[in-house]
Amino acid sequence: MRSLPQAAFVVAVATTAATAISGASAFVVSSPQSSSRSPASAYSRWMPLRETAVATLDGKDIDNEFTPINNYMLVQGAETKEQSDGGIILTGKQKITKSEGKVVSVGPGRIYEDSGVYIPMPVKAGESVVYGKYSGTELDYNGKKHLLVSDIDVMVKFEGDELTLEGADVIYDNVMVYVEEKEEDASVGGILLAKSSTKSRSTKPSTGEVIKVGPGRTAINGELMEMDVAVGDFVKFRDFSGEKVEIEGKKYSVVKMNDILAKF
């Protein structure tokens, strides 16, 4: 009388075992030949692969885009010039490092905290800029020298790789002034001075002709502040103010409007 229940039990057990085995087959990782591998090696085969690094920052891989915020921009610095135009190899302090480069990416801009007025960035990715000599935070990005520069530290922007006077645009309240520099070759008594002596006795000129004028600075209320000088004016500005910019073999001073004392 028990034979039938026992047979049914055997069938049920067999069916359950077959179901378990077939279900387990969906989770089989290795072939029978690989059963000798350690649990760690089998697990590592199913570990998610690390995505390829997006870029490198100061020699380390980073997984996300490097994006400036606020009023900062990422600039790839110009290559250091190690040879003169005449073919002379420059060494040490003779090497020429220009304070310019190409904009890689820019932040969204800045906002006046007191008024909430939004100030958009004056440059865009792909343009080239000239910034202050000691401006910016230097970093190594994708194996090349880059800087994080504030929009306030940028004086001139231009298209292309070569800075020309025609293509140069000064931004904000900057003014480009051509200053003719002269050095005295003789003392008051007519005695000739050595070249090193004339350099030490020379002073930095602070008078010149206005060549380029920026659009002006945005006030806290959002209105553009009018510039008080125009191209062709001659101006007197504060001693030792402004930054030197060399364009097509000539040196110019880029001065903030607040540093200009008079015009004539």
Side-chain angles (χ1 to χ4, degrees):
M1 296 295 293
R2 294 187 198 176
S3 59
L4 290 177
Q6 287 178 346
F9 175 75
V10 170
V11 171
V13 170
T15 303
T16 304
T19 302
I21 292 173
S22 62
S25 65
F27 299 95
V28 172
V29 175
S30 303
S31 63
Q33 291 82 359
S34 62
S35 59
S36 60
R37 294 181 180 177
S38 65
S41 63
Y43 175 73
S44 64
R45 293 183 62 196
W46 286 95
M47 284 284 287
L49 294 176
R50 185 177 184 274
E51 294 183 2
T52 304
V54 173
T56 61
L57 178 63
D58 292 333
K60 297 181 179 179
D61 291 344
I62 57 175
D63 297 332
N64 298 313
E65 292 289 344
F66 188 74
T67 306
I69 62 174
N70 297 329
N71 60 321
Y72 283 89
M73 65 190 75
L74 180 64
V75 179
Q76 182 176 339
E79 296 291 336
T80 300
K81 191 174 182 180
E82 300 185 357
Q83 185 172 331
S84 69
D85 295 334
I88 300 174
I89 302 299
L90 305 175
T91 59
K93 293 182 178 180
Q94 293 178 324
K95 294 181 180 180
I96 301 172
T97 303
K98 294 183 178 181
S99 298
E100 64 181 59
K102 182 159 290 188
V103 178
V104 178
S105 56
V106 300
R110 54 194 168 96
I111 297 176
Y112 277 121
E113 294 183 2
D114 295 336
S115 64
V117 171
Y118 167 67
I119 311 296
M121 294 293 281
V123 300
K124 63 180 184 293
E127 291 182 319
S128 296
V129 293
V130 180
Y131 45 86
K133 185 176 181 181
Y134 300 105
S135 301
T137 299
E138 189 172 328
L139 50 90
D140 184 295
Y141 183 63
N142 287 340
K144 294 183 179 181
K145 172 188 170 182
H146 286 70
L147 295 97
L148 282 170
V149 183
S150 166
D151 64 333
I152 300 174
D153 294 324
V154 173
M155 303 175 292
V156 178
K157 68 177 181 178
F158 60 98
E159 298 282 354
D161 298 325
E162 293 295 328
L163 175 59
T164 63
L165 187 60
E166 182 180 359
D169 289 324
V170 292
I171 68 171
Y172 289 152
D173 58 340
N174 288 300
V175 179
M176 183 183 293
V177 182
Y178 176 65
V179 180
E180 187 176 358
E181 298 184 7
K182 294 181 180 180
E183 290 185 350
E184 298 292 338
D185 293 329
S187 67
V188 177
I191 302 174
L192 293 176
L193 302 175
K195 189 173 183 179
S196 59
S197 299
T198 60
K199 284 187 177 181
S200 63
R201 293 169 65 91
S202 63
T203 58
K204 184 177 179 180
S206 56
T207 302
E209 181 182 0
V210 174
I211 304 299
K212 299 265 187 177
V213 180
R217 182 164 57 92
T218 303
I220 194 171
N221 61 358
E223 295 183 3
L224 199 63
M225 299 175 67
E226 185 178 350
M227 299 290 280
D228 294 328
V229 297
V231 174
D233 287 343
F234 283 82
V235 294
K236 167 70 177 177
F237 51 91
R238 298 180 192 276
D239 293 338
F240 303 103
S241 65
E243 293 274 357
K244 288 289 185 64
V245 178
E246 184 171 342
I247 305 175
E248 297 175 331
K250 290 186 177 181
K251 293 182 179 179
Y252 301 85
S253 289
V254 179
V255 187
K256 292 287 186 184
M257 187 66 220
N258 287 343
D259 289 323
I260 295 180
L261 308 175
K263 65 179 180 180
F264 55 96

